[in-house]
Structures are given as C-alpha cells and as structure tokens.
Amino acid sequence: MPEIHHISAETHDRLQAELTDLTGRGRIDIAAQIETARLLGDLSENGDYHAAKEEQGKMEGRIMRLKSILENCEIVADVGDSFDDSVVAPGLVVSIRFEGDDEVEQFLFGSIEERRTDIEVVSPGSPMGRALEGARAGQTVTYEANGNQLSIEIIAIEA
C-alpha cells in the first residue's frame, strides 16, 4: 500500500506545477543537451553526454516521485482557528525539547515536500515523526535513531 502524503493545497499546486514543467520544458531541454553532446563524438569518452544522461536520470526520478506524491496525497486543510491543538497531526507546528537539552525547537509536522525556509519539517514516516504522531502536548515520547534511544517532550502544538 502506497504511503499517503499529507500536503497543503499550496504545496499540491507547487508540486503539480513542477511536474508539468519537468514533463514539458524539462524533458525537451535535456533531450537537446543529450543531442548536442552526441554531436561531440565518441560517446564512451564524452563527459558532456554522460553528464546529460545522469541529469536526465535524476529528472526522471523526480518526475516519478512527484507523480507518486500527487497520486497518493491527502490535502490537509488550512487549520486556521479550527485545529485541535491537543494532538500532533499533519500541518501543525510542534514545539519540542530533547531530553537533557534546555532549548525548545519547532518543527512543521508533515510531508518533506512542505519544506519552508523558516522552519524544519519532520515527516510522519521518519522515526521521530512516528513517535510524535498522535502524541499530546506535555507528553514525552521516545524513538530510536542511529542505535540510540532519544526522548522528546512535546511542549506545544500550534497551527
């Protein structure tokens, strides 16, 4: 069963636009780069050709990833004033403190595709995300990372 990606409507639109661009302009551009590189001669020693083919592989991988996300996504409503701040759920900001640390850190709980410049994202599928999902403010949860047990206290849950 495919992983369900919880994404905002804004992220859905951004990913759809990226997919459209890559399957249109992106494929045309990479095909032109490959053709230009072929004209340079012997393909076995042609660095430009190999670089263009590698770039094509990366682009096709991203296209497959975008298609998978968009086919298996659930749009998370803008939580605004109607969110339930008692449980960690996709689209919410979680303030946590690692055991033995005084610093409170904030994370957006959701798909890694929700990336922003102002806050880090923790995915529900990550070890930390699995521990946080469904937890409540004031609760301490543990998870394993790199062979170590880590405990985190959930300080607050916000929209």
Side-chain angles (χ1 to χ4, degrees), residues 53-79:
K53 289 297 281 185
E54 184 175 328
E55 189 63 31
Q56 180 186 39
K58 289 178 184 177
M59 185 183 70
E60 291 299 326
R62 179 66 178 160
I63 287 170
M64 287 175 35
R65 173 83 175 136
L66 290 170
K67 284 181 177 180
S68 175
I69 291 169
L70 293 169
E71 289 170 2
N72 301 293
C73 72
E74 210 173 272
I75 305 296
V76 176
D78 182 14
V79 288

Side-chain angles (χ1 to χ4, degrees), residues 7-150:
I7 57 175
S8 65
E10 177 184 329
T11 296
H12 181 274
D13 293 346
R14 180 178 51 82
L15 296 179
Q16 187 62 56
E18 181 183 355
L19 178 61
T20 300
D21 181 59
L22 290 177
T23 56
R25 181 209 50 84
R27 282 182 170 157
I28 291 169
D29 288 353
I30 200 70
Q33 288 176 14
I34 291 169
E35 185 57 35
T36 300
R38 277 188 189 163
L39 298 175
L40 297 175
D42 183 10
L43 297 182
S44 65
E45 296 182 15
N46 186 330
D48 289 347
Y49 174 79
H50 292 291
K53 289 297 281 185
E54 184 175 328
E55 189 63 31
Q56 180 186 39
K58 289 178 184 177
M59 185 183 70
E60 291 299 326
R62 179 66 178 160
I63 287 170
M64 287 175 35
R65 173 83 175 136
L66 290 170
K67 284 181 177 180
S68 175
I69 291 169
L70 293 169
E71 289 170 2
N72 301 293
C73 72
E74 210 173 272
I75 305 296
V76 176
D78 182 14
V79 288
D81 295 329
S82 65
F83 78 100
D84 176 3
D85 66 352
S86 65
V87 178
V88 176
L92 299 178
V93 174
V94 183
S95 298
I96 64 165
R97 182 176 30 240
F98 286 91
E99 183 179 273
D101 194 356
D102 293 333
E103 183 180 343
V104 174
E105 299 179 45
Q106 285 191 321
F107 294 92
L108 173 66
F109 187 78
S111 171
I112 199 70
E113 293 296 338
E114 294 286 343
R115 65 184 172 266
R116 300 182 190 170
T117 56
D118 61 331
I119 192 167
E120 287 188 58
V121 176
V122 63
S123 167
S126 69
M128 183 174 155
R130 285 191 298 273
L132 287 171
E133 189 161 26
R136 299 180 179 286
Q139 188 176 353
T140 298
V141 296
T142 60
Y143 67 99
E144 186 175 325
N146 299 325
N148 297 313
Q149 286 289 327
L150 300 173

